[in-house]
Amino acid sequence: NVESGRTNLVSVMADRRQFWMEGMLRRDNRIVDIQILRNIGRSNSFFASTSILVLAGLITVLGATDRAIDFVRDLPFSASVSRELWEIKVLILIVVFIYAFFKFGWAMSQLNYCSIMVGAIAESENVTDADLSRARNAGVVATIASTHTNRGIRAYYFGLALLAWHIHPIALMASALTVVLVLYRREFHSRTLQLIQSDTEKRDD
């Protein structure tokens, strides 16, 4: 959490989810809470469906290797590549997006479980210590789901970076480094982190 000094976006949002779930205990109507979880689930569903489409496209490219190699050879600054190496590159991309699909699919399932946990908590006037424990556990489940979502999104980022490998190995190194720097900045130095962390600190006060 934030108190342990891990001031990154993931840890700050984990604390924010705990605030959310503890605040949910004081509400009689929790439809909004369920709706938020469903909206988050829809974004995971979108990325999972997109992963299937990307995989279908990659499999199609794998079946048209010769035409794809000829196309890349016509690009400026592209490096020559053998059929075997091309197929290895495409297979690596396929593995990356299969990984992304499973991450988004598991995140969807966990958000469904979190919705059920929220629905199982008693009404605000009858909340017990057991309900408080359930709410906190629901926050943890939501955070675990978010972790898998983040890993799926990062797979997309690095999958896009891998596309540059088809042009030139140097382009791969440059794109991979760019992705790492972008992710690092967003995770540790983004304006979004500053705003969320400030809001969390105010609630702690």
Side-chain angles (χ1 to χ4, degrees):
N1 53 37
V2 178
E3 294 178 356
S4 64
R6 293 188 294 110
T7 54
N8 58 25
L9 197 55
V10 171
S11 61
V12 171
M13 284 305 299
D15 285 346
R16 204 68 184 84
R17 290 187 193 91
Q18 290 301 319
F19 290 143
W20 170 24
M21 289 299 166
E22 290 174 14
M24 174 268 298
L25 291 172
R26 298 187 291 271
R27 288 190 285 274
D28 292 326
N29 190 338
R30 293 168 186 153
I31 294 176
V32 173
D33 303 289
I34 299 297
Q35 191 61 42
I36 292 172
L37 290 169
R38 287 179 178 175
N39 288 337
I40 299 171
R42 288 192 191 101
S43 65
N44 282 283
S45 176
F46 169 79
F47 279 110
S49 301
T50 303
S51 299
I52 295 296
L53 295 176
V54 172
L55 287 169
L58 290 171
I59 293 171
T60 301
V61 170
L62 195 61
T65 298
D66 293 330
R67 292 174 59 188
I69 291 175
D70 291 339
F71 172 77
V72 172
R73 281 175 180 166
D74 293 334
L75 296 175
F77 309 111
S78 63
S80 60
V81 62
S82 65
R83 179 185 179 91
E84 291 76 16
L85 181 56
W86 174 272
E87 290 176 345
I88 289 172
K89 292 176 179 179
V90 176
L91 286 172
I92 291 174
L93 278 171
I94 288 174
V95 170
V96 167
F97 283 97
I98 288 175
Y99 171 86
F101 170 78
F102 278 103
K103 286 298 176 183
F104 289 122
W106 182 222
M108 288 167 53
S109 297
Q110 289 175 315
L111 289 170
N112 287 334
Y113 303 150
C114 186
S115 298
I116 294 171
M117 294 172 76
V118 170
I121 294 173
E123 296 180 356
S124 58
E125 63 270 15
N126 297 320
V127 168
T128 64
D129 290 340
D131 290 313
L132 176 59
S133 177
R134 293 188 189 103
R136 289 173 176 170
N137 288 340
V140 174
V141 171
T143 294
I144 295 172
S146 176
T147 299
H148 287 279
T149 299
N150 287 337
R151 289 174 181 172
I153 292 174
R154 287 171 184 170
Y156 267 71
Y157 278 118
F158 285 104
L160 292 174
L162 280 169
L163 288 175
W165 191 14
H166 292 282
I167 300 175
H168 200 282
I170 294 178
L172 169 63
M173 290 186 285
S175 59
L177 179 60
T178 300
V179 167
V180 170
L181 292 175
V182 168
L183 291 176
Y184 176 79
R185 183 187 178 280
R186 292 180 178 179
E187 188 68 30
F188 293 94
H189 300 287
S190 65
R191 178 63 174 161
T192 300
L193 171 61
Q194 294 172 6
L195 292 170
I196 297 173
Q197 186 178 0
S198 174
D199 177 62
T200 303
E201 290 171 349
K202 288 178 181 177
R203 291 180 66 92
D204 288 339
D205 294 339

